[in-house]
Each structure stands twice: as structure tokens, then as C-alpha cells.
Amino acid sequence: MTSPRTATAKSLLRAQIRAARDVFVAIEAPTIPVPDALRERLSHGVTIASYVPLGSEADPSPLARAAVAAGCAVALPHVVSRAEPMRFLAWDAEDDLVPGAFGLHQPHHAAPALAPDIILTPLVAFDASLNRLGQGAGHYDRAFALFPDAWRLGVAWSVQEVDALPVDAWDVPLHAIVTEQGLMLR
């Protein structure tokens, strides 16, 4: 269980980094480059889980387009509630998205569930050890536990990096993080 002090520190850090991210995107409007380490993993039959960014989250679209060009299947997260596990449902650019929990745009609940080989992961903050601070519901950490062999690639802006994050026992670090400045690899 998270201590009250850690929970407060995480909440304050989320607010601080979201504000910095909002300013950065308003001024810079950068694009995330497709790293070679991702391109090397893309091929026909690979399933990549992407996401539709909310607000000033880093947009993974260039990465998802590279996956489609390589013949990969694309899945997007589908969230029903804070308590239920997130599923990754098949999505094609021609498919309409439906409103979901927390303001998400997601595939219809009847879309087939897919097991991702690569998970593009949004985040609020990250550190040099590739720990991530998410929105706080634990959906991605639980997904990482369900798909332990999936390559976990965080997608963020460089302003989201902090010196160190408070880490709980259930927090799963990423394998890599890509920002507008390039790739950080473990």
C-alpha cells in the first residue's frame, strides 16, 4: 500500500509535470521520432498497443504509423473503470472510436482483444532508471504484469523527466522511453 506521504508526493509531482508539459506543448509542438530500436521490432504479425493522447500527452501516432507500414496489428486501450483491468482491443484507422472512461477515445467494446508484443505507454513523468509515473489508476502496471514479455516503450516529452520518482513495489519500469530528443534505452 502506498504511504500517505508517497501518495501526496506523487499527486504534487503529477500536477507540476502536467503544467510543465502543457506549457512545453503550447510553445514547441514537437513530434516524436520513430527510433531505430522500435523499427527493428516491427514486422508482419507483431501487435503494437498504442493510445490516443489526452491533452498535452506525447502523441504516439508516428510510431503507430511506422508499425502499420511494417504490417503490424494495432490495438488501443479499452478502459471501463478504475477497478477493471485495461484490455487492448484491435483497431484500424478506419474504425470509429467511442468515448470511454476518463475521457479516453477507445475501440468499441466488441472489438477483438489482442495480446501486445509492444506497448506504447503514456506517462506523466519518468526518470533515468526508466521508472514511470502514470495517471494513478495502475492500469498500465497491471497490463505489464499480464503481458510480461511485451516491450514497454514510454512516449513522453523531455520536460517530463525528473531526477528520481517515488517507486512502489508494483511499479514496473519501462524498457525504453522516446521523447522528441530521442531514445533512452535500458
Side-chain angles (χ1 to χ4, degrees):
M1 185 170 166
T2 302
S3 72
R5 180 177 291 166
T6 301
T8 300
K10 285 183 174 184
S11 292
L12 291 172
L13 185 57
R14 281 186 186 99
Q16 176 187 7
I17 297 299
R18 284 184 185 124
R21 185 177 72 184
D22 290 347
V23 169
F24 176 76
V25 170
I27 294 170
E28 298 282 330
T31 300
I32 299 293
V34 181
D36 290 340
L38 175 62
R39 285 188 197 281
E40 293 165 2
R41 295 171 184 276
L42 301 177
S43 63
H44 183 74
V46 168
T47 297
I48 187 167
S50 189
Y51 63 92
V52 176
L54 292 175
S56 60
E57 286 181 337
D59 187 353
S61 296
L63 312 178
R65 282 193 297 275
V68 170
C72 299
V74 176
L76 293 177
H78 184 274
V79 177
V80 175
S81 71
R82 188 177 189 91
E84 290 187 49
M86 175 172 67
R87 299 182 304 147
F88 294 107
L89 303 184
W91 180 73
D92 182 283
E94 303 297 318
D95 297 342
D96 289 332
L97 296 173
V98 299
F102 312 111
L104 296 175
H105 303 285
Q106 58 191 22
H108 187 273
H109 69 86
L114 299 177
D117 300 295
I118 299 168
I119 302 174
L120 302 180
T121 309
L123 51 91
V124 176
F126 67 93
D127 63 23
S129 297
L130 304 185
N131 294 306
R132 66 177 279 281
L133 179 65
Q135 299 291 351
H139 284 109
Y140 276 91
D141 288 314
R142 287 180 282 170
F144 297 159
L146 285 173
F147 304 106
D149 296 329
W151 193 57
R152 302 179 300 274
L153 176 60
V155 184
W157 305 119
S158 58
V159 297
Q160 294 173 253
E161 185 173 6
V162 298
D163 290 336
L165 285 173
V167 178
D168 289 306
W170 56 83
D171 289 332
V172 179
L174 300 167
H175 293 112
I177 296 173
V178 63
T179 72
E180 79 286 355
Q181 295 182 353
L183 185 72
M184 296 173 62
L185 200 55
R186 195 162 32 147

